[in-house]
Amino acid sequence: MVLLRRELALAWARGGGPLLALGFFAAAVVMLPLSLGPEPARLARVAAGAAWVLLALASLLSLDRMFEPDFEDGALDLLSLGPLPLEAVAAVKCLAQWLVTGAPLALAAPIGAIALGAKPAAAPIIAAAAALGGLAFAFLGGAGAALALASRRGGLLIAVIVLPLLTPPVIFGGAAIDNFQNGLPWLTPFSLLAAYALAAAALTPFAMAGACRNAAS
Amino acid sequence: MVLLRRELALAWARGGGPLLALGFFAAAVVMLPLSLGPEPARLARVAAGAAWVLLALASLLSLDRMFEPDFEDGALDLLSLGPLPLEAVAAVKCLAQWLVTGAPLALAAPIGAIALGAKPAAAPIIAAAAALGGLAFAFLGGAGAALALASRRGGLLIAVIVLPLLTPPVIFGGAAIDNFQNGLPWLTPFSLLAAYALAAAALTPFAMAGACRNAAS
Amino acid sequence: MDDLAVQRGERILFSKLSARVVAGEAVALTGANGAGKTTLLRVVAGLTAPLAGTVRFEGVRGDLPNDDARREACHLVGHQDGLKGARAAGAELEFQVLWTGGDRASAEHAAARMGLTRLLNLPVRVLSAGQRRRLALARLIASPRALWLLDEPLSPLDAESRRLFGQIMGEHLARGGLILAAVHDPLPIPARQIRVGA
Amino acid sequence: MDDLAVQRGERILFSKLSARVVAGEAVALTGANGAGKTTLLRVVAGLTAPLAGTVRFEGVRGDLPNDDARREACHLVGHQDGLKGARAAGAELEFQVLWTGGDRASAEHAAARMGLTRLLNLPVRVLSAGQRRRLALARLIASPRALWLLDEPLSPLDAESRRLFGQIMGEHLARGGLILAAVHDPLPIPARQIRVGA
Amino acid sequence: MFAALANPLRFMAFSRWAAPILGLAALLLTGAGLTLGLSAPPDYQQGDTVWIMFVHVPAAWAAMLAYGCLGGASFISLVFRHALADQAAKAAAPLGAAFTGLALVTGSLWGRPMWGAWWVWGDARLVSVLVLFLLFLAYLALRASIDDEAKAARAGEILALIGLINLPIIHFSVEWWNTLHQGESILRPGGPALAPVYLLPLLLTGAGYSFAFGALWLARTRAEVWRRRATALALQAALR
Ligand code: HEM
Ligand SMILES: Nc1ncnc2c1ncn2[C@@H]1O[C@H](COP(=O)(O)OP(=O)(O)OP(=O)(O)O)[C@@H](O)[C@H]1O
Ligand SMILES: Nc1ncnc2c1ncn2[C@@H]1O[C@H](COP(=O)(O)OP(=O)(O)OP(=O)(O)O)[C@@H](O)[C@H]1O
Ligand SMILES: [Mg+2]
Ligand SMILES: [Mg+2]
């Protein structure tokens, strides 16, 4: 679809493409042990969790420019006058954001976690949690970005709106990974994560479209 | 000075003011233990280091919009035609960024670290390291933002340019805090951090001015 | 397709403005700076909600709900052209045309008509003001919609392009199109004039 | 202060363009879209480096290095006005004026002259195109500099504001100022015309 | 009742006497509940500190009630475009933040003797209440950072509705995760599992806090209505 193609190109340019998202993640993974000191035991314990938080933070980095440029340069007006309702446009934007940054990060997350010392057996669940988490982050982040449009103080206002919303998936995902590593039941938190991510993907497009219309009028 | 006043106002709006930077930091501090699981012992060991990494990430959040809006809307042209050379303008911009986000974060960092379980005695050194680190982050981040101007892929490209540059201060600061907590000599890494921050503040303005001129011509 | 616009009381800007634009007609909105011309265009396009009053689209497709009819009927070209500086001019034009219902061939044809063919590989950012406006206007030709809402369309164009675009507007009207243009200088085509504001 | 501009070979745009602008003179740069008018203005302001050739500022302050003389002599007002949409119009004008060497009182006076007083508390974003341009132009009056580099200054202005700004340009010239303006429509003051490009 | 109160005039007439009556009831109920609660025998597990329960639990309930009201008012305002509903939503947020803050503070005061820690990271109940607090703050920050009243209202409504997801998370967190926090003992299938000596004062203070919230809410909404009337009059005066 033409919109998806464009949004992918824009998300690519915005975040600098998956390569750069991965670079950010890699650098952060490098920084963590540097600032913690090299003791492997200390590291291994926090590895999976830390990778998970870094992922959430990495996916926040370019969120604030998901709607703002289109709002500022009038592209949002054009998008409102197209064949699809704004809800669908917003969903496609988030999907593109996820494909460009979330999906590659989901592949990188287990590698980063293992590099930090997590058990290799946890790799699939880390990747799955990261993929679902990335979906939630992209859609909830998009909602925050759209809400902040009207206010014109991007960046951290978005963070403040979005972080409370991101906390539940972070809890669920962290719990799933942690329980898995410790042999506890992990399916409940994991399915909560999945439910949360899918609910976010289903519901936030309405919020985003409303927020965009509100900002433009 | 009139420029500093304006830049403070802009940095304030960009980051949403220190309150929001603090909010981001607070939320990130909340998220870390959530994903690590609640064991206090596990947390306490990584507390100071994690607070320090989160600080670096928090200070990255609004960096990418330090030069870009001024470039896009022509304000950079106006700034070039003022009484000060662009080098000074760039330095003032970074200073404003630091005052608005770095300084309050320096005050918050020890609180966050203690909340995560660091020893209260480490508070002064954490604050000092955070203040110096924030200075380095602001100036190096500014340089990254300026270099990314011409390339027009903001966000993560900046992160990728900047993170390698940020690694030394992160190491020095982390080592200073860690050594202090463990009763090891901490003055050497701390003075390396100070030297690095001051060198960054002294040298990067030239890089920023050059990059801005290059992007505008 | 013809078009009835009734619009009243948008903030304190203007009130009880009513007008009906019919097929083949061009209307020039004039008025002082800040009178509300741009706002009126956005209201007609459905981007800004009016304080009171409605805009009705009555056309051959009278069966469609008003909002869908509007979405299919309007082209809006203003100062904010929605073009991304970093992307190639050709890619941006193609997206805008496809998005508003045209196809690739018509986009190319429109670019040729606007004298842009040579520029399509350049990033939008390096285009001059007039070239950029021509790029924004090209989608009007490439994806046919009935109502053109234009905000000071001619100002950055050179004399040659103005003549050309006048001709293009004429053809649009001859096909039964409608034009609503906010202007400070007279349009190069015969147009009914509506003064906005006091 | 008088002013000599020699400029050649900027990309493939134009070459061997030479001109000398003297005190009290207005020059209208004309030429097709993309001919290089905007580029020429930026070269004169020192924002873009020319491929070859130099721009020299010879004034009463002949002792200053060329770049410093340029920085103190030029006002550039283009499409990109450097105004931040989110800040109050008054705050932005004040900054621009103070930055280019004026003071608060002159900023207020200039705003009054441009009929902006009522709007100074609004965020720039809600201003209409013409109001915004007037805000950008106000710093020309408020902080006195010799050379005004204007890029299509009149296009979004209404008839009344055009008349007013014509008068303001006239006063500037009478004080010995210089104006270099890229235009598609004739300026409302007598001006020497230079065609840029082929 | 909502339909009847949607009319601002009727609302003002109703709230003029409803607010003080609710306030009075709140004082009486809370007073009675606290007296009963403080005279109850110390719990065999919790010892003397059990009295904090009568401050903490109702505050937590009131905080959730406040968010529910914020969400409900936002929904009505978004769907039916009632200005009054928006004013009510705006008025509820700071109150909710205050009650949430109270629940957090009293909870962690209680946690110190009970769990040996002021705060336990990773306890889902505690963290989801903190999220509630952050949501209130985000709502306030968002509204405060948009100048245009109508736009601020729309944006706030949307955020409030998104945040509703947190309410069930708070309530069920003790079931979904192994938390340190007390499990459901009142609103649970099978009826309350709490000795009547504690249950009665708890319910009394719970009702008292809720009435207090109601009274303050009405009062703040009234103030907001007055404030908007004043700005509208000023605008009219400026236009003339
Ligand atoms: C900062 C710490 C705390 C927070 C944020 C907090 C939060 C809450 C919340 C939100 C509720 C209402 C739940 C609902 O009705 O769905 C609640 C109820 C309750 N809390 Fe806490 N709490 C904290 C600490 C404590 C402590 C330390 C204790 C005692 C050991 C405690 C005992 C209770 C009890 C007994 C209830 C009533 C449970 C019920 O019947 O549902 N809380 N708390
Ligand atoms: N939120 C707002 N608060 C106050 N005034 C506003 C707001 N939004 C817009 N305005 C005013 O509404 C008017 C907008 O006018 P509009 O942009 O429609 O003018 P225009 O007729 O297109 O003018 P121009 O010829 O300059 O383009 C301006 O006077 C502006 O100051
Ligand atoms: N990096 C570049 N690569 C290729 N061409 C460029 C580049 N930068 C600018 N140009 C070309 O240079 C010209 C810029 O012209 P300029 O903006 O000075 O035109 P102008 O005379 O102001 O036109 P207008 O009347 O439309 O404003 C355009 O034709 C543009 O395509
Ligand atoms: Mg306009
Ligand atoms: Mg030009």
Side-chain angles (χ1 to χ4, degrees), chain C residues 129, chain D residues 38 79 151-152:
Chain D
T38 301
H79 305 287
D151 203 353
E152 303 180 35

Side-chain angles (χ1 to χ4, degrees), chain B residues 156-186:
Chain B
L156 291 166
L157 172 59
I158 299 176
V160 166
I161 296 178
V162 164
L163 279 168
L165 296 175
L166 291 188
T167 316
V170 169
I171 302 180
F172 299 147
I177 296 173
D178 218 45
N179 288 0
F180 181 88
Q181 287 197 306
N182 299 325
L184 299 171
W186 53 272

Side-chain angles (χ1 to χ4, degrees), chain A residues 14-212:
Chain A
R14 180 166 64 226
L19 255 180
L20 296 181
L22 294 179
F24 171 79
F25 181 68
V29 165
V30 171
M31 275 165 62
L32 194 66
L34 285 177
S35 73
L36 292 181
E39 282 169 53
R42 184 147 51 136
L43 258 179
R45 313 221 50 183
V46 304
W52 178 243
V53 169
L54 288 178
L55 196 75
L57 293 178
S59 66
L60 274 179
L61 259 192
S62 52
L63 277 182
D64 62 327
R65 310 206 299 167
M66 214 149 101
F67 287 97
E68 212 209 82
D70 277 352
F71 176 58
E72 290 289 308
D73 69 11
L76 215 48
D77 298 341
L78 179 76
L79 292 173
S80 322
L81 291 174
L84 291 179
L86 262 184
E87 282 79 4
V89 171
V92 169
K93 273 181 129 37
C94 294
L95 205 65
Q97 170 80 9
W98 178 71
L99 284 175
V100 168
T101 61
L105 279 173
L107 295 178
I111 303 176
I114 292 171
L116 288 174
K119 295 190 199 129
I125 182 142
I126 295 179
L132 282 170
L135 200 65
F137 298 157
F139 277 87
L140 291 169
L147 280 173
L149 271 191
S151 93
R152 310 278 334 223
R153 28 179 74 192
L156 290 166
L157 175 61
I158 300 178
V160 165
I161 295 176
V162 162
L163 279 168
L165 301 175
L166 290 190
T167 315
V170 169
I171 304 180
F172 301 148
I177 295 173
D178 217 46
N179 288 1
F180 181 87
Q181 287 198 307
N182 300 324
L184 298 171
W186 55 271
L187 205 63
T188 319
F190 189 82
S191 32
L192 284 172
L193 173 66
Y196 197 92
L198 296 181
L203 297 179
T204 53
F206 299 95
M208 289 185 260
C212 287

Side-chain angles (χ1 to χ4, degrees), chain D residues 107-123:
Chain D
E108 263 163 36
H109 168 253
R113 180 93 200 258
M114 285 304 214
L116 294 167
T117 313
R118 234 169 26 81
L119 304 170
L120 291 182
N121 285 326
L122 291 177

